[in-house]
Amino acid sequence: MKTASYLFRNNNFVENPKNDFFNEANAQLVLGFGNKDLLNSDFFEKLKSKFPNAQIALCSTAGEIFDKQVFDNSVSISALYFEKATLKISKVNIENFESSFDVGKMLVKELSEEKLKLVFVMSDGAKVNGSELVKGFHEFKSKNILVTGGLAGDGTNFKETIVGLNEVPKSGNIVAIGFYGNSLQCSHGSIGGWETFGLERIVTKSDKNILYEIDSKNALDLYKTYLGKYTEELPSSALLFPLAIINSDNEQPIVRTILSIDEEAKSMTFAGDIPEGSKVRFMKANFDKLIDAASNAASNCLELQNQKPQIALLISCVGRKIILSNRIDEEVEAVAEIFGEETTITGFYSYGEISPLKPFTNCELHNQTMTITGLNEIV
């Protein structure tokens, strides 16, 4: 496998000086993560001209990861050429389905499982229910097939997101890229780095991603007692205090971000489902632990693959970007320090991250989490 990465900024392609010798006409797959306003027809034609024989998958972001830095108002581009591995790509639009669950089922069903190693998903982040989408994946997927990816972003606007395959990106699209072949080695890592506090509690009333009661008490009132002075800054302060879904003592919790609160209904809406009967704890931000989590996620990739990946796809959360602010480069630098100069690093800040919690188990929808997908080809 050969990789090359570029940053499209100020109407120019800036090539990563660490790129392999790479004939751009040989690229088989191009991944582009960028500012929504830049993913227009003019940009697409430039990209198609630069990589005439490649399949081109694009999605909008809440920030772009290129090498060791985080950018805004740019497009982070990676071009890949495989010696033996093959690709199959499926694209659908949510408007043609009754539910996000049905979308997940259809996407995986269209990808043959023989020699399938990785499914990388780029999904609309505004119209698609990420929790239902990953449940749909589980319907037809074998557990030994890795599924990772993320939900497209729209900066901090939280309005419309776009995804595209071999066309100008559009709202509502979901793209699943299947990577095939025994020559491929895949790895993954996902760690939030948040501190839990308070008692472990039980969700007693919820409806998908809307939480009403914890321990048979009003969830919003209970939440406010923990926030103290930050209560006056709701809902923006909720980014600092997500909710942890606890699976077991020896697993990382699944992090859920609060999107909005309803004072009249006394409910909270999350960026992912909160199942009734699940165990939860409140969480709070610790900047150093958030950055350490990115480093640990990279270390987990190395434990799975026993060598540094040729390309690492980083998908982190817009919430982490907002919280870390001018320290945001540090979490990407922490990953780069683990992988070294030989790994191409690309990715984006998202509205939801898709990755397993444990090696090659079913994927989960995460919020406020750094996720990494590592890919090698051994020939």
Side-chain angles (χ1 to χ4, degrees):
M1 180 172 73
K2 291 185 181 297
T3 66
S5 62
Y6 311 77
L7 186 71
F8 183 80
R9 201 179 191 198
N10 299 324
N11 211 33
N12 290 307
F13 291 93
V14 179
E15 183 173 349
N16 190 331
K18 298 186 297 184
N19 283 349
D20 297 331
F21 174 74
F22 195 87
N23 184 339
E24 293 171 345
N26 291 338
Q28 296 161 338
L29 176 66
V30 170
L31 300 173
F33 312 123
N35 178 282
K36 183 177 70 175
D37 293 335
L38 294 179
L39 301 181
N40 52 36
S41 57
D42 181 60
F43 169 76
F44 179 77
E45 291 304 320
K46 288 180 180 178
L47 203 60
K48 189 64 180 174
S49 176
K50 189 174 183 66
F51 304 101
N53 300 307
Q55 300 244 53
I56 299 174
L58 303 170
C59 80
S60 61
T61 76
E64 301 81 53
I65 297 171
F66 175 76
D67 197 23
K68 298 178 183 179
Q69 292 181 270
V70 178
F71 293 87
D72 292 301
N73 303 313
S74 69
V75 185
S76 180
I77 301 160
S78 295
L80 291 81
Y81 166 78
F82 298 96
E83 299 284 348
K84 294 183 178 180
T86 58
L87 303 168
K88 184 177 180 181
I89 306 180
S90 176
K91 186 203 80 174
V92 297
N93 192 286
I94 187 66
E95 301 295 344
N96 299 321
F97 294 82
E98 290 187 3
S99 70
S100 298
F101 178 80
D102 291 338
V103 170
K105 286 198 301 182
M106 177 58 72
L107 283 170
V108 176
K109 195 174 181 180
E110 289 186 355
L111 298 176
S112 168
E113 287 201 2
E114 186 177 359
K115 295 185 179 181
L116 178 60
K117 292 294 185 72
L118 167 67
V119 179
F120 184 74
V121 180
M122 300 160 63
S123 170
D124 179 281
K127 296 181 177 180
V128 174
N129 181 318
S131 294
E132 292 298 306
L133 182 69
V134 300
K135 287 177 184 176
F137 294 153
H138 301 164
E139 285 290 296
F140 287 96
K141 182 188 75 67
S142 300
K143 284 192 175 182
N144 62 340
I145 298 171
L146 176 63
V147 178
T148 63
L151 307 187
D154 179 24
T156 55
N157 299 313
F158 299 97
K159 292 180 180 177
E160 180 188 60
T161 67
I162 55 175
V163 175
L165 174 66
N166 300 325
E167 65 177 357
V168 178
K170 299 175 183 176
S171 173
N173 282 340
I174 307 97
V175 171
I177 305 170
F179 293 80
Y180 294 80
N182 294 328
S183 62
L184 290 176
Q185 291 186 343
C186 305
S187 60
H188 67 88
S190 59
I191 299 180
W194 296 81
E195 288 185 342
T196 55
F197 68 100
L199 299 174
E200 186 177 281
R201 299 175 181 274
I202 304 293
V203 174
T204 48
K205 185 180 179 182
S206 65
D207 180 13
K208 293 183 179 178
N209 65 331
I210 302 175
L211 176 61
Y212 294 98
E213 293 183 1
I214 298 175
D215 288 344
S216 299
K217 299 176 182 177
N218 178 268
L220 181 57
D221 288 343
L222 183 63
Y223 184 66
K224 287 180 176 180
T225 64
Y226 280 93
L227 263 61
K229 64 180 182 179
Y230 292 98
T231 300
E232 297 176 2
E233 300 172 29
L234 283 171
S236 61
S237 61
L239 283 172
L240 299 169
F241 299 94
L243 197 67
I245 300 177
I246 310 297
N247 292 296
S248 67
D249 293 337
N250 58 357
E251 286 188 15
Q252 290 285 332
I254 297 172
V255 184
R256 286 285 177 261
T257 301
I258 299 164
L259 296 179
S260 62
I261 62 173
D262 187 330
E263 293 284 1
E264 185 175 342
K266 295 293 183 181
S267 65
M268 299 186 290
T269 300
F270 289 79
D273 288 354
I274 308 286
E276 282 189 8
S278 57
K279 298 177 181 179
V280 295
R281 290 183 71 185
F282 294 116
M283 309 184 91
K284 60 183 177 181
N286 179 307
F287 285 17
D288 291 333
K289 287 190 175 182
L290 292 178
I291 294 165
D292 288 344
S295 178
N296 292 336
S299 296
N300 286 352
C301 285
L302 295 186
E303 289 177 8
L304 286 176
Q305 200 162 269
N306 295 319
Q307 62 180 311
K308 294 176 180 179
Q310 290 168 270
I311 187 168
L313 303 170
L314 278 57
I315 301 181
S316 190
C317 182
V318 60
R320 295 171 73 91
K321 184 168 180 280
I322 293 170
I323 291 165
L324 288 169
S325 188
N326 59 3
R327 293 186 63 182
I328 191 60
D329 284 350
E330 292 183 39
E331 74 167 0
V332 178
E333 291 167 356
V335 173
E337 186 174 344
I338 296 295
F339 288 151
E341 295 295 318
E342 57 264 51
T343 298
T344 297
I345 293 177
T346 186
F348 68 99
Y349 283 82
S350 75
Y351 285 179
E353 304 78 59
I354 298 171
S355 178
L357 277 171
K358 297 172 67 175
F360 297 96
T361 57
N362 281 336
C363 61
E364 303 281 357
L365 176 73
H366 303 266
N367 306 134
Q368 302 276 38
T369 299
M370 166 63 82
T371 65
I372 303 173
T373 305
L375 192 61
N376 267 339
E377 186 178 31
I378 307 301
V379 294

